[in-house]
Amino acid sequence: MKSFFKVVMLAVALAMTAPVVSAQTYGKTEKEMKADRKEAEKQAKKQAKELKKQKWVYSGANTLEDELTTFLLATTFSGGKNEAMVENVLQAPSIRRGESEARSAAENDFVRELQIAIKGEIAELSGNASGEYVETQVDKWSKRVAQELNGDIKRYFYLYKENPNHTFQVRVYFSRPSVAGNSALRNNLKNNMEFVEDIKKSMD
């Protein structure tokens, strides 16, 4: 059990050390960066126009187009390093409450992605990832993992609409480090074969 916790926390540490940054940090040439920005600005302008048509309200200091451009550069144009998360809360009693619920949803989604990645690696290394021992431990430790995720998930901006019943729809834009295809996670699992042996024994 201790070895399982060690591997889970190693996986979380790997995700947490991946920086949430724009495309400029991924070794692209100046020409590529300029092309990315141009395309991001084009997409941002189109998205902003559509969002305004849908009556979403934006109240940030920068323009909505600028916020969307920054968001796209940090996710779509990050070379696969970061993923976008757009969380929607349909009926929040206040905008602040909606933001809080969206944050919780983003954290839960990230935990589920991490669980899927861990189980996938377990299945490949041990032949199975559906045993009762695995399910129990993944569920148990993921709750502790959730407490470590605040630094991984970056909030960009939010939009809102007021519903006829005076509640609010709130949409919040986040990014997170990509979990899928994390080779460092696989290498750490391989380096903790004691954990894999525990899984195999639990299936005997």
Side-chain angles (χ1 to χ4, degrees):
M1 187 175 294
K2 288 182 179 179
S3 58
F4 183 92
F5 177 67
K6 179 181 178 183
V7 172
V8 173
M9 296 312 294
L10 278 169
V12 175
L14 286 166
M16 293 181 69
T17 54
V20 180
V21 288
S22 65
Q24 284 89 328
T25 64
Y26 297 120
K28 294 186 178 182
T29 66
E30 185 176 350
K31 184 177 180 180
E32 288 172 329
M33 291 190 303
K34 285 182 178 179
D36 282 352
R37 175 164 288 279
K38 184 176 180 180
E39 180 60 27
E41 288 173 346
K42 180 180 176 181
Q43 291 185 25
K45 186 175 181 179
K46 183 178 180 181
Q47 288 182 27
K49 185 178 180 179
E50 186 62 29
L51 288 166
K52 289 170 184 176
K53 273 187 181 180
Q54 296 171 4
K55 307 298 184 184
W56 285 102
V57 179
Y58 167 73
S59 60
N62 300 319
T63 67
L64 179 55
E65 288 84 351
D66 285 346
E67 291 285 4
L68 283 164
T69 297
T70 299
F71 178 71
L72 289 167
L73 286 171
T75 53
T76 304
F77 296 97
S78 72
K81 300 296 183 182
N82 301 314
E83 295 179 4
M85 289 192 298
V86 181
E87 300 289 350
N88 291 284
V89 177
L90 299 181
Q91 293 200 46
S94 67
I95 295 171
R96 179 173 291 186
R97 177 66 177 273
E99 280 198 90
S100 177
E101 290 180 12
R103 176 78 194 194
S104 295
E107 291 177 354
N108 290 336
D109 285 346
F110 194 19
V111 170
R112 281 191 288 271
E113 282 294 315
L114 188 60
Q115 289 176 333
I116 290 169
I118 292 171
K119 286 182 179 180
E121 296 301 339
I122 293 169
E124 191 164 338
L125 292 171
S126 67
N128 198 322
S130 59
E132 183 178 351
Y133 173 80
V134 177
E135 296 294 336
T136 300
Q137 297 307 315
V138 167
D139 180 69
K140 177 180 177 180
W141 295 119
S142 66
K143 291 179 173 61
R144 183 176 293 187
V145 167
Q147 300 174 11
E148 307 295 331
L149 296 180
N150 285 336
D152 291 320
I153 300 171
K154 182 175 178 180
R155 172 195 172 281
Y156 284 83
F157 62 96
Y158 72 89
L159 306 172
Y160 70 91
K161 294 181 186 181
E162 187 170 359
N163 295 317
N165 63 356
H166 304 298
T167 61
F168 294 89
Q169 295 180 52
V170 182
R171 176 177 293 179
V172 188
Y173 290 69
F174 300 95
S175 71
R176 69 179 179 206
S178 176
V179 176
N182 190 328
S183 59
L185 170 61
R186 180 173 175 76
N187 289 336
N188 271 278
L189 283 167
K190 282 183 176 180
N191 292 333
N192 286 273
M193 293 305 293
E194 178 187 351
F195 162 66
V196 177
E197 290 303 317
D198 287 345
I199 296 294
K200 288 179 178 179
K201 287 177 184 178
S202 74
M203 297 173 186
D204 293 340

